[in-house]
Amino acid sequence: MAKYLLKRVLYMFLTLFIIASLTFFLMKIIPGTPFASANKLGPAQMEIMKAKYGLDQPVPVQYAKYIGNLLQGDLGISFQFNNTPVTDLMFKRLGPSMQLGAQAMLLGTIVGIVLGILAALRQNSWVDYSSTFVAVLGKSIPNFVFAGLLQYFVGVKLGWFPVLFWRGFEYTVLPTIALAMLPIAIAARFMRTEMIEVLGSDYIMLAKAKGASFFEIAFKHALRNALIPLVTVLGPLAISLMTGSLVIEKIFAIPGLGEQFVKSITVNDYPVIMGTTILFAALFVVIILVVDILYGIIDPRIRLSGGNK
Amino acid sequence: MKKSKFSLLLILTLVFSLILSACSGGDNNAGEEKPEDGEGTTGETANVPQELRMLDSSEIPTMDTVLAEGSTSFTYINNVGEGLYRLDQNHKPVPALADGEPEISDDNLVYTFKLIDSKWSNGEAVTAHDFVYAWQRAIDPATGSPYGPYMMGGKIKGAAEITELGAAKKEYDLNTLGVKAIDDKTLEVTLEKPIAYWQDLFAFPTFYPQNQKFVEEKGEAFASNAENLLYNGPFVMEKWEGTDATEWVLAKNPDYHNADQVTLEKITVNVVKDSNSAVNAFEAGETDMTGLLSSDIVPSYEGDERMLSWMEAVVFWIKMNQKNEALANVNIRKAIAMGFNKEDLTNSILNNGSVAANYFVPKDFVTLDGEDFREKNGDIISFNAEEAKKYWEQGLKELGVDKLELRYLGGDTEAAKKTDAYIKNQLETNLPGLTINLESVPFAVRLERDNAMDYDLQFAGWGPDYGNALSFTDLWITDGGSNRMGYSNKQYDQLIKDAQGKLATDEKAQWEAQQEAERIMLEEDAGLAPVYQRAANILLNPNVKGLAIYNYGPDYSFQWVTIEGEE
């Protein structure tokens, strides 16, 4: 196990290094200027600005410097936010994105799993139809539509929750619901299909024959096996939720990473593009590892050290 | 066990009911034209808290006067700081830290300012040395200020030379910049040439003072948050956690020399980038003022007293790259400039109060003795499909072709794409044989391609940095830094050179030269195809009075704002 983990961690660093390098060179190919006032800068001034940000040097030199600084944990300073270190910018923004994503993930998974289980247990009843209806809504309608509806009707009209901003738990309610719609839909659909399949298998028949209760069959025997494919899907989804949703953050005025990342690309803020990509990639590889470990916990038949000949 | 099942169902029901109540509410209320009037505040007429809650659409990229380059930075810098001059409620620069008007040398090049008594928020006096330090810092190539060289080059003596030397990595001496502290209270400024708009220049945030001791003591941390800043303006930053903060608070500065003019005690600003969300917040009574509204929202507030609309000094146009053989032909340019219906564009597509522009110096921008710059020149080049077709055919004949294909560089926002598609359709319909290939790119890419002159037609716009028509007319001088479309006319160059130099002190003659230049550029040469002048719209609580709105530099001043009780 320890050997396996060590190997995986080493691969993680290698993956990150490759991603960082690829992103660096791809980013240099993106056309456009990183200077907001570029149409007002004369040639001499442009030279000065390029020198200030080290853009006057050949790309391989810039790359070597960047990787050197990266190894020391220095991600550089942002072009659009003068003198602000990228690490400060990112970590301040990461908090709200992570909290919102985690809440949406939690709400989405719990509600989705419950909906899926109920639908499977009460197949072809109104419970099943309602659950499917919610899943179809969540999957087919983009979350900014839910966000707009929630904001206007629940926030402005009913006044139950604040419309905007990020100042306390009550401010997180509407964006969390809006963001949770997709995980609800995904979890419900997967759970229903898997549960129906598992419930039809021989060992469930056996459990039924042995007189196990309805609850025992559903939660003790079926759920565990039905969870495996779900974990596979929800891992990457968790990343996309926790690294910030551009639209939800914009609509609810949440100071998160999603909006910042997209803006950094449109304004060619190279250090922020790099920093955020590396951070997202790091989260991604960690989550993949966590998912692999979870497989083993959910189903001990899956051996983490397997295949090590 | 039954109990657990029940609680699960209960949770589900609650979640369902929340979602469904949101959806069903949609049907009931969708028909409502406007939400009910009345803000969250109660109807007190006396003792109304002097607090303004407002929304802005962007974080503050920097509060360092020397590094600032955008209107958001300029707006807050202008409200917490002050220079020699300050824009008043009517956009006019009036002496602020300058004690009255300066002494001006006979050749109009040397200005000697006396300073009033004023202090920084740490108690130290604001001195002439603070100006010298800030201006030298702004021009120092090592600082990398984007606006310093732009605002000073060719205006303040020695500025352009320092930039050139810096770019060539040669040694430079900051003391060669034309700014000197004669003593603590006397500042001497030497200009490169007489400047008609020098007061505007000295009201601009790039020319504000900085306290050398404080800046150097703070080093990298300077201007990084509210604690690492000094203030000498109407307000201080009570809370601002840095450039990525999405909320900040300004409070009245008791030490401001004009503090008795300031009524507002507190301003809370929150960043909201989505226009619909800003409107929702306004309707929910969570804010008194929104940022600029997107044009799809404006029609629904038509006639509503809470919407404040004004004409911005921002003009959009189609740049025609005259290095392109076809666009070097004046008839082809005239055909394009006249070949699309601007009124329909502003009325049907933009629909936000913007007006068709048949000029490039905006209206409601500069006036002389109560007369607008536009009054004399009026509409110079307007839509005329028939005339356009005639010029087009003539142009094609001169070029010896019967069809043309042009690349059109435009923005990548939804609004930009709509405008560009409309113009393409109009031009292709009115000018037979023309094919336009739209290239929608992000702003940063457009800037770079403009710089490289890598386009045939380009949709672009310009907002001024000082209150003189020169802010627009000097764009088109031969090889001018912002020309970047190869327009060149000796007569035009001479008129602008005169307006910048020998006519600088004769406002009327300076105007006339520029009006003539504008006429030549558009009427004779069709060097540019003007499209529209932009209108701005915000929602503002009617209880908020005295907001000063500017059309260059800072967006607003809160110095004269008062909050009145509801009637």
Side-chain angles (χ1 to χ4, degrees):
Chain A
M1 177 79 174
K3 202 175 159 194
Y4 171 83
L5 277 179
L6 187 71
K7 203 169 135 192
R8 283 291 300 265
V9 171
L10 283 176
Y11 276 132
M12 270 164 56
F13 280 106
L14 183 67
T15 312
L16 285 180
F17 174 74
I18 294 171
I19 291 174
S21 306
L22 275 178
T23 315
F24 186 89
F25 291 108
L26 283 174
M27 195 179 64
K28 291 289 169 190
I29 302 172
I30 305 176
T33 166
F35 307 121
S37 294
N39 54 343
K40 292 176 177 172
L41 307 184
Q45 209 186 332
M46 197 69 109
E47 285 309 308
I48 291 171
M49 294 297 283
K50 280 184 180 166
K52 179 183 174 185
Y53 293 104
L55 300 174
D56 56 339
Q57 290 156 329
V59 174
V61 176
Q62 290 182 38
Y63 170 73
K65 274 195 176 168
Y66 187 85
I67 296 292
N69 290 337
L70 183 66
L71 291 175
Q72 296 167 43
D74 178 7
L75 292 170
I77 56 166
S78 162
F79 292 180
Q80 43 172 335
F81 297 105
N82 285 299
N83 284 339
T84 307
V86 174
T87 23
D88 288 6
L89 207 64
M90 255 169 26
F91 286 105
K92 268 197 221 166
R93 299 241 168 186
L94 188 61
S97 288
M98 292 278 269
Q99 187 190 338
L100 183 62
Q103 283 181 200
M105 197 61 208
L106 198 68
L107 177 72
T109 322
I110 293 173
V111 174
I113 288 179
V114 171
L115 279 181
I117 293 174
L118 290 177
L121 294 178
R122 295 276 178 270
Q123 225 180 321
N124 298 324
S125 71
W126 68 270
V127 180
D128 188 13
Y129 297 140
S130 317
S131 155
T132 310
F133 178 69
V134 172
V136 169
L137 275 190
K139 184 83 183 140
S140 53
I141 300 178
N143 56 19
F144 63 84
V145 177
F146 290 114
L149 288 171
L150 286 168
Q151 194 179 55
Y152 187 68
F153 293 109
V154 185
V156 178
K157 285 290 166 188
L158 298 172
W160 289 357
F161 292 104
V163 175
L164 298 176
F165 308 133
W166 192 255
R167 294 170 184 159
F169 181 73
E170 72 268 34
Y171 288 84
T172 70
V173 175
L174 297 186
T176 301
I177 297 173
L179 203 55
M181 289 308 287
L182 184 64
I184 288 178
I186 292 177
R189 277 177 3 144
F190 260 89
M191 211 56 214
R192 181 180 178 275
T193 318
E194 289 302 317
M195 279 292 277
I196 288 173
E197 204 182 309
V198 172
L199 285 173
S201 59
D202 294 344
Y203 75 93
I204 297 287
M205 297 291 198
L206 179 69
K208 273 186 187 165
K210 283 169 85 177
S213 71
F214 175 80
F215 188 83
E216 266 181 312
I217 290 170
F219 291 91
K220 210 169 150 192
H221 296 292
L223 180 62
R224 193 164 183 167
N225 285 316
L227 274 179
I228 295 175
L230 192 65
V231 169
T232 314
V233 196
L234 291 183
L237 183 67
I239 283 295
S240 71
L241 289 179
M242 293 200 284
T243 48
S245 154
L246 159 73
V247 185
I248 296 294
E249 285 173 7
K250 202 169 169 189
I251 291 179
F252 290 100
I254 297 165
L257 259 187
E259 198 269 331
Q260 198 51 58
F261 181 48
V262 174
K263 193 183 166 201
S264 69
I265 296 173
T266 59
V267 299
N268 288 27
D269 189 349
Y270 302 134
V272 176
I273 299 177
M274 283 303 292
T276 332
T277 310
I278 293 170
L279 177 75
F280 287 1
L283 285 172
F284 203 85
V285 291
V286 169
I287 283 281
I288 289 176
L289 180 64
V290 171
V291 167
D292 284 352
I293 294 171
L294 274 181
Y295 283 153
I297 295 170
I298 294 169
D299 187 349
R301 286 174 302 176
I302 302 172
R303 300 257 174 265
L304 289 183
S305 49
N308 190 10
K309 286 168 193 168
Chain B
M1 272 179 202
K2 264 190 175 169
K3 208 175 168 189
S4 335
K5 245 171 88 182
F6 178 74
S7 34
L8 275 176
L9 266 175
L10 190 70
I11 294 170
L12 262 181
T13 320
L14 279 172
V15 174
F16 261 131
S17 63
L18 195 60
I19 295 166
L20 291 178
S21 68
C23 298
S24 64
D27 293 330
N28 294 340
N29 296 290
E32 273 183 34
E33 272 289 294
K34 300 225 179 71
E36 67 275 16
D37 278 350
E39 303 306 300
T41 44
T42 46
E44 298 277 333
T45 46
N47 298 326
V48 181
Q50 293 301 309
E51 259 184 64
L52 176 73
R53 297 162 308 159
M54 61 172 283
L55 305 179
D56 207 323
S57 53
S58 145
E59 295 91 346
I60 306 177
T62 182
M63 281 296 287
D64 185 342
T65 55
V66 157
L67 293 178
E69 58 179 317
S71 63
T72 309
S73 288
F74 292 146
T75 298
Y76 298 99
I77 287 173
N78 171 62
N79 280 287
V80 301
E82 191 158 90
L84 293 169
Y85 281 72
R86 163 175 288 284
L87 294 179
D88 71 3
Q89 286 144 294
N90 306 310
H91 302 229
K92 291 278 170 240
V94 292
L97 294 185
D99 190 3
E101 297 296 340
E103 208 180 283
I104 304 173
S105 65
D106 292 340
D107 56 3
N108 287 300
L109 291 179
V110 183
Y111 288 65
T112 310
F113 294 94
K114 285 280 173 196
L115 301 184
I116 59 162
D117 289 331
S118 67
K119 54 184 177 180
W120 293 106
S121 48
N122 65 355
E124 285 183 27
V126 180
T127 68
H129 303 283
D130 297 339
F131 283 93
V132 176
Y133 174 67
W135 295 19
Q136 287 187 347
R137 197 171 160 248
I139 200 66
D140 188 349
T143 312
S145 158
Y147 250 67
Y150 169 68
M151 292 303 278
M152 292 182 183
K155 300 175 186 102
I156 308 293
K157 192 166 179 279
E161 289 73 17
I162 293 175
T163 305
E164 293 291 335
L165 288 169
K169 300 205 164 56
K170 289 183 183 158
E171 274 196 32
Y172 51 86
D173 179 6
L174 290 177
N175 292 317
T176 56
L177 185 71
V179 58
K180 232 184 348 192
I182 306 290
D183 57 46
D184 277 0
K185 290 278 181 167
T186 316
L187 182 75
E188 188 188 276
V189 180
T190 310
L191 302 181
E192 194 76 57
K193 60 188 175 213
I195 294 176
Y197 50 89
W198 59 271
Q199 286 148 313
D200 283 291
L201 217 55
F202 298 144
F204 202 83
T206 311
F207 293 90
Y208 283 10
Q210 286 189 343
N211 182 308
Q212 181 170 5
K213 201 178 99 201
F214 186 83
V215 176
E216 286 173 356
E217 209 174 84
K218 295 290 177 186
E220 288 278 296
F222 173 65
S224 60
N225 54 34
E227 288 74 46
N228 291 310
L229 272 168
L230 278 189
Y231 312 96
N232 69 333
F235 300 95
V236 296
M237 285 220 142
E238 200 175 71
K239 180 189 162 196
W240 178 59
E241 282 163 11
T243 52
D244 68 328
T246 53
E247 184 181 58
W248 53 93
V249 179
L250 278 74
K252 185 177 168 171
N253 179 3
D255 296 328
Y256 178 50
H257 66 90
N258 248 340
D260 55 346
Q261 275 190 9
V262 184
T263 315
L264 214 51
E265 293 289 341
K266 188 179 172 189
I267 306 164
T268 309
V269 191
N270 281 284
V271 175
V272 175
K273 300 186 181 186
D274 184 87
S275 209
N276 283 303
S277 299
V279 171
N280 280 335
F282 184 80
E283 292 296 353
E286 290 182 16
T287 187
D288 300 311
M289 177 176 158
T290 67
L292 294 182
L293 300 178
S294 63
S295 59
D296 53 320
I297 293 172
V298 175
S300 60
Y301 279 91
E302 205 82 53
D304 191 319
E305 61 154 352
R306 298 173 302 165
M307 186 167 78
L308 189 66
S309 307
W310 68 95
M311 200 50 78
E312 286 186 291
V314 177
V315 179
F316 289 89
W317 46 56
I318 299 171
K319 288 174 87 166
M320 297 187 264
N321 186 349
Q322 287 148 53
K323 300 277 181 220
N324 174 308
E325 194 194 343
L327 294 170
N329 183 297
V330 66
N331 289 312
I332 296 290
R333 292 202 303 270
K334 279 188 182 171
I336 290 172
M338 293 176 146
F340 58 99
N341 190 329
K342 307 170 198 180
E343 270 81 16
D344 280 358
L345 173 74
T346 51
N347 297 338
S348 310
I349 295 184
L350 301 173
N351 198 16
N352 63 353
S354 298
V355 296
N358 300 310
Y359 45 77
F360 67 75
V361 176
K363 63 178 187 177
D364 296 346
F365 171 44
V366 279
T367 52
L368 182 62
D369 301 328
E371 189 187 299
D372 194 279
F373 185 91
R374 286 255 54 81
E375 273 175 47
K376 184 181 171 199
N377 270 9
D379 286 340
I380 306 177
I381 192 157
S382 39
F383 169 59
N384 186 330
E386 273 174 43
E387 284 282 297
K389 202 174 164 201
K390 272 188 218 160
Y391 284 122
W392 180 247
E393 281 161 359
Q394 178 67 24
L396 289 181
K397 214 164 105 189
E398 285 166 11
L399 291 169
V401 293
D402 56 3
K403 58 184 178 195
L404 267 184
E405 200 168 317
L406 295 172
R407 294 175 301 152
Y408 179 112
L409 186 61
D412 64 343
T413 62
E414 281 313 306
K417 283 182 186 167
K418 259 195 245 173
T419 305
D420 296 339
Y422 171 81
I423 292 175
K424 167 187 161 77
N425 178 278
Q426 281 276 302
L427 288 176
E428 287 181 345
T429 311
N430 294 331
L431 309 176
L434 173 64
T435 306
I436 286 184
N437 300 316
L438 291 182
E439 294 173 2
S440 307
V441 299
F443 185 63
V445 177
R446 198 170 59 67
L447 287 184
E448 193 184 59
R449 286 185 55 180
D450 178 60
N451 212 4
M453 286 180 68
D454 178 14
Y455 66 92
D456 297 331
L457 301 173
Q458 182 195 167
F459 189 83
W462 190 264
D465 288 304
Y466 46 87
N468 189 290
L470 274 170
S471 200
F472 287 89
T473 53
D474 82 348
L475 296 175
W476 315 122
I477 50 172
T478 304
D479 296 328
S482 303
N483 185 327
R484 291 167 185 152
M485 61 174 183
Y487 174 73
S488 176
N489 182 313
K490 284 198 178 99
Q491 215 185 336
Y492 185 92
D493 293 347
Q494 189 56 50
L495 286 162
I496 300 306
K497 201 177 155 205
D498 290 348
Q500 282 174 328
K502 70 177 186 193
L503 303 177
T505 49
D506 181 348
E507 223 177 332
K508 193 162 172 15
Q510 203 242 9
W511 259 45
E512 283 168 357
Q514 293 191 71
Q515 283 166 328
E516 175 60 6
E518 190 195 33
R519 192 197 61 76
I520 291 172
M521 206 272 193
L522 291 180
E523 192 178 278
E524 292 180 13
D525 294 340
L528 191 73
V531 184
Y532 70 90
Q533 184 176 350
R534 187 169 73 185
N537 306 275
I538 60 169
L539 293 179
L540 182 68
N541 188 329
N543 298 344
V544 179
K545 310 282 182 197
L547 178 72
I549 300 170
Y550 299 133
N551 49 23
Y552 53 89
D555 287 333
Y556 310 109
S557 172
F558 308 110
Q559 184 168 349
W560 305 280
V561 169
T562 56
I563 313 288
E564 291 184 0
E566 286 189 359
E567 287 133 37

